[in-house]
Amino acid sequence: MDKILVTGGLGFIGSHTVVELQNEGYVVVIIDDLSNSSENVLDGITSITGKTPVFEKLDLKDRPKVESFFAKHSDIKGVIHFAASKAVGESVQEPLLYYENNISTLVYILKELKKLPSASFIFSSSCTVYGQADELPITENAPVKQAESPYGNTKQIGEEIIRDTCKVTPDLKAIALRYFNPVGAHETAKIGELPIGVPQNLVPFITQTAIGVREQLSVFGDDYPTPDGTCIRDYIHVVDLAKAHVVALGRLLQNKNKTNYETFNLGTGTGSSVLEVIKAFEKVSGEKLNYKIVGRREGDVISAYADTAKANNELGWKTKLTLDDAMRSAWKWEQVVRKKD
Ligand SMILES: NC(=O)c1ccc[n+]([C@@H]2O[C@H](COP(=O)([O-])OP(=O)(O)OC[C@H]3O[C@@H](n4cnc5c(N)ncnc54)[C@H](O)[C@@H]3O)[C@@H](O)[C@H]2O)c1
C-alpha cells in the first residue's frame, strides 16, 4: 500500500486523518515539530488502529532536514500538509512568524515534490478565504476576499503558490481543501483537540467552561441579522473531515482528478448559531453552561456555511455525523483530558 507523509500529523485534524488513513491500509509517516502537539498522541493513534505510524520529529522550516527526509523516503506517493500555525489573534501580533512557518514549509515541501516522478498533494485551506461571502451557502466559485488576518492570508497565498506550481508541473496533482469549522473528537476519546492556553474556538471553550477550567463563556453579540442574533458557522465533525482527506487523496492517486489543481469546500452545508451549539452541548451532556452575551467581537463574519454540492458530487464524500455527535465526543474527550491532568 502507498506510503503517505502527513505533516502536522500529531495535531488535531492530522491525528484523526492518520487514523483514517491507517484504517484504509495506507502506510503513514508523520512529521511534526511538536510546537502545538505532544508525542503522546502517537499512543492514542496506536491504540485506535493497532498500528504505530513512523514519526519524525522535524521542523519543516529547516530546509536541509526536509531534503534529507525526502531523500530517505523517496517512495512517498502523497503528502497531506497540515503543519501550520493557526491562531488568528497571534498572527496579527506576530505576522512574520506566521508567514515564515506557513509559507516556507509549503515551499520546501513543493520543491521536494517537484523532484519526484509524480506526487499527490493535499493542502489544509480554510473557509476564511471567503471572508463574509456575498451569497450563502458558499460555493467554491465565491470570490476570495481580502484576508482579515495574516493567518488567513497565509491560506490564500498558500493556495496561489500551489496553483502556480501545478501550472508548470504537470506531474504534480494537488487539492486544496477549504475547511469550515472542525469540531469534536474521536468516539474512543483517545485523540481530540488539545488547545494550548485559552481556546480560540467555540467548542473547546464550551467544554472547558463546563468542566470548570474557564469560568464563563462569552457570546460575542446577539444583535446580528440571524434568526437568534448570534453568528452562524458550519460545524463539521473532525472524523468526517478526516475521511474527506482519504477520499481526496484516493482521487489523486487514482488519477480521477479533472485538473491538476482543484479546490473543495468541506462542511456539512448547515449553519448553526452560537446559541444552537450551546443548546446542543447542554442536551447531550446534561450540563448547564455558564455563558453571557457580550458585545460584538471585531472581525467576526456574521454567517458562513458551505455549499457542499461539489464535494458531494465530484469527490463522492458527504458528512455522516451530526452536531450532537460532535458535542458528545468533544465532551467525552474533555473529561478524559482533565482526568489525565
Ligand atoms: N482547526 C481549525 O479550525 C482549522 C480550520 C481551517 C483550517 N485549518 C488548518 O488545518 C491544519 C491543521 O489544523 P489543526 O487544527 O489540526 O492544527 P494543530 O495545531 O492541532 O496541528 C498542526 C500541527 O502542525 C505542527 N507544526 C506546526 N508547525 C510545524 C513545523 N514548522 N514543522 C513541523 N510541524 C509543525 C504542530 O505541532 C501541530 O501538531 C492547519 O494548517 C490549519 O491552519 C484548521
Side-chain angles (χ1 to χ4, degrees):
M1 200 59 184
D2 290 331
K3 193 197 256 191
I4 306 301
L5 166 63
V6 181
T7 75
L10 295 183
F12 173 42
I13 308 169
S15 57
H16 289 82
T17 303
V18 169
V19 164
E20 298 306 323
L21 286 168
Q22 289 189 324
N23 284 344
E24 290 301 313
Y26 288 102
V27 174
V28 178
V29 182
I30 294 175
I31 288 182
D32 204 300
D33 67 353
L34 305 180
S35 55
N36 199 32
S37 53
S38 134
E39 205 164 339
N40 298 336
V41 176
L42 272 179
D43 300 336
I45 294 172
T46 308
S47 69
I48 297 170
T49 64
K51 291 176 241 179
T52 308
V54 175
F55 170 53
E56 299 252 2
K57 181 172 180 296
L58 192 157
D59 181 350
L60 290 159
K61 294 194 291 300
D62 188 335
R63 175 128 196 250
K65 290 219 172 110
V66 175
E67 280 177 325
S68 12
F69 172 88
F70 275 92
K72 188 167 135 199
H73 296 277
S74 56
D75 53 344
I76 278 181
K77 292 286 182 298
V79 176
I80 307 184
H81 182 45
F82 291 105
S85 306
K86 64 165 184 178
V88 174
E90 187 187 43
S91 81
V92 175
Q93 301 306 319
E94 298 281 354
L96 294 179
L97 197 148
Y98 274 67
Y99 286 116
E100 184 182 26
N101 199 36
N102 295 6
I103 303 298
S104 72
T105 57
L106 172 65
V107 170
Y108 297 161
I109 290 170
L110 291 176
K111 283 191 170 191
E112 295 309 309
L113 296 188
K114 268 182 77 105
K115 296 180 192 162
L116 300 177
S118 85
S120 299
F121 182 73
I122 309 282
F123 178 63
S124 294
S125 190
S126 166
C127 68
T128 53
V129 301
Y130 301 119
Q132 178 59 70
D134 302 324
E135 283 175 40
L136 295 168
I138 304 172
T139 73
E140 287 80 354
N141 295 327
V144 167
K145 293 265 176 80
Q146 167 91 46
E148 293 271 351
S149 68
Y151 165 74
N153 208 18
T154 66
K155 294 300 173 191
Q156 297 189 3
I157 297 170
E159 288 196 8
E160 285 169 15
I161 290 172
I162 300 163
R163 197 190 51 219
D164 290 345
T165 310
C166 283
K167 245 186 233 163
V168 293
T169 322
D171 294 329
L172 177 65
K173 295 167 282 179
I175 292 179
L177 297 174
R178 294 173 175 164
Y179 314 155
F180 279 66
N181 293 72
V183 289
H186 198 267
E187 59 172 357
T188 59
K190 292 187 186 295
I191 53 173
E193 191 169 4
L194 276 173
I196 292 176
V198 180
Q200 307 266 322
N201 296 331
L202 176 63
V203 173
F205 210 108
I206 289 179
T207 55
Q208 288 195 8
T209 305
I211 212 145
V213 176
R214 313 267 151 223
E215 204 181 313
Q216 192 172 50
L217 169 77
S218 297
V219 175
F220 298 107
D222 68 347
D223 56 352
Y224 285 103
T226 61
D228 65 21
T230 63
C231 290
I232 290 180
R233 296 286 180 275
D234 185 340
Y235 295 94
I236 174 171
H237 197 301
V238 65
V239 172
D240 276 332
L241 185 65
K243 288 183 175 162
H245 289 76
V246 182
V247 175
L249 181 72
R251 176 179 176 90
L252 296 183
L253 293 173
Q254 292 149 28
N255 292 313
K256 289 186 183 153
N257 50 308
K258 291 209 169 130
T259 57
N260 73 332
Y261 173 64
E262 299 177 309
T263 53
F264 290 96
N265 283 344
L266 296 181
T268 65
T270 303
S272 305
S273 72
V274 177
L275 292 181
E276 283 171 335
V277 175
I278 292 173
K279 276 192 205 116
F281 172 77
E282 291 186 329
K283 184 178 77 184
V284 301
S285 68
E287 300 285 324
K288 189 95 199 81
L289 194 74
N290 180 19
Y291 71 91
K292 75 162 181 231
I293 311 284
V294 299
R296 291 183 182 195
R297 185 172 57 178
E298 207 189 321
D300 270 345
V301 162
I302 302 167
S303 188
Y305 50 95
D307 185 316
T308 58
K310 190 177 177 202
N312 295 167
N313 303 331
E314 288 222 10
L315 267 188
W317 162 91
K318 62 157 70 103
T319 55
K320 293 204 175 87
L321 299 165
T322 62
L323 180 62
D324 283 1
D325 293 327
M327 299 312 287
R328 204 174 290 114
S329 61
W331 181 230
K332 191 170 163 189
W333 168 245
E334 185 69 62
Q335 289 166 298
V336 169
V337 171
R338 293 309 145 195
K339 247 187 225 140
K340 281 189 199 148
D341 279 357

